[in-house]
Amino acid sequence: MEKTIDRYQKLHEVMGKENLKDRVDSPFDFISLANKGINSNAVIHFIDYFNLSKNFTATLLNLSEPTLYRLLKSKQDLKRNSSVQLLEAADLFLYGIEVFESKENFFKWLHLPNTSLGDIEPQELIEIPGGISKVRDILGRIEHGVYS
């Protein structure tokens, strides 16, 4: 439970404290934050924190790369669905880093075919609706010593 609370607090670091207007205590807070609007600067913090490409991030947020560039340039708020997706992805990445005990190991794992996912790479799955929860389930199994 403490790790989960720490992970939610770390979201402020990942997104930039100025971009999250409220405290995060549970995944349900993602919806209220998204409704209030998350500034696109949070995406820049997210990209920098996890050292991701803009192309991957755009795909993750269900945006085209040119749309992401325009959004970042204009400094507009993200739409609700993109905001929730960004928060869920950041939370998943922080959880994966906890489970694998390093950023490098987690991101290597993301790019390896996984038999529990039908030989799909977890990275491919997180780009589609519902994929983040499936990858989170696999991480939970790994964390508890169940082969995945």
Side-chain angles (χ1 to χ4, degrees):
M1 187 68 168
E2 279 183 42
K3 283 185 177 183
T4 303
I5 293 167
D6 290 343
R7 193 169 63 246
Y8 290 139
Q9 290 173 348
K10 195 161 186 103
L11 280 175
H12 284 276
E13 183 181 331
V14 172
M15 301 293 176
K17 291 177 184 168
E18 66 281 0
N19 297 312
L20 293 184
K21 297 176 175 119
D22 290 327
R23 190 177 140 146
V24 181
D25 294 316
S26 80
F28 298 107
D29 293 333
F30 295 171
I31 296 165
S32 64
L33 283 166
N35 284 337
K36 291 178 182 179
I38 295 176
N39 190 278
S40 60
N41 283 332
V43 176
I44 294 168
H45 284 270
F46 174 79
I47 289 170
D48 291 343
Y49 188 88
F50 292 113
N51 195 27
L52 302 171
S53 71
K54 285 186 176 142
N55 183 42
F56 174 73
T57 305
T59 303
L60 184 66
L61 298 177
N62 298 310
L63 302 171
S64 68
E65 199 168 348
T67 300
L68 179 62
Y69 278 107
R70 282 192 300 277
L71 188 65
L72 296 176
K73 187 176 179 180
S74 70
K75 300 185 188 285
Q76 294 176 352
D77 284 351
L78 298 170
K79 291 187 179 176
R80 181 178 167 195
N81 288 347
S82 294
S83 295
V84 171
Q85 184 76 359
L86 180 67
L87 290 164
E88 287 181 347
D91 185 44
L92 175 76
F93 291 175
L94 290 170
Y95 181 44
I97 291 166
E98 278 177 27
V99 170
F100 284 93
E101 299 179 348
S102 87
K103 195 183 290 189
E104 294 78 23
N105 289 341
F106 170 64
F107 280 98
K108 282 180 191 174
W109 176 81
L110 270 182
H111 292 86
L112 295 173
N114 189 298
T115 55
S116 296
L117 299 172
D119 286 327
I120 296 172
E121 294 176 11
Q123 169 258 319
E124 290 178 50
L125 200 54
I126 62 174
E127 297 171 358
I128 61 172
I132 286 178
S133 64
K134 288 175 179 40
V135 173
R136 179 181 300 287
D137 290 345
I138 297 297
L139 286 171
R141 291 170 58 187
I142 292 169
E143 180 180 34
H144 292 80
V146 178
Y147 174 74
S148 290

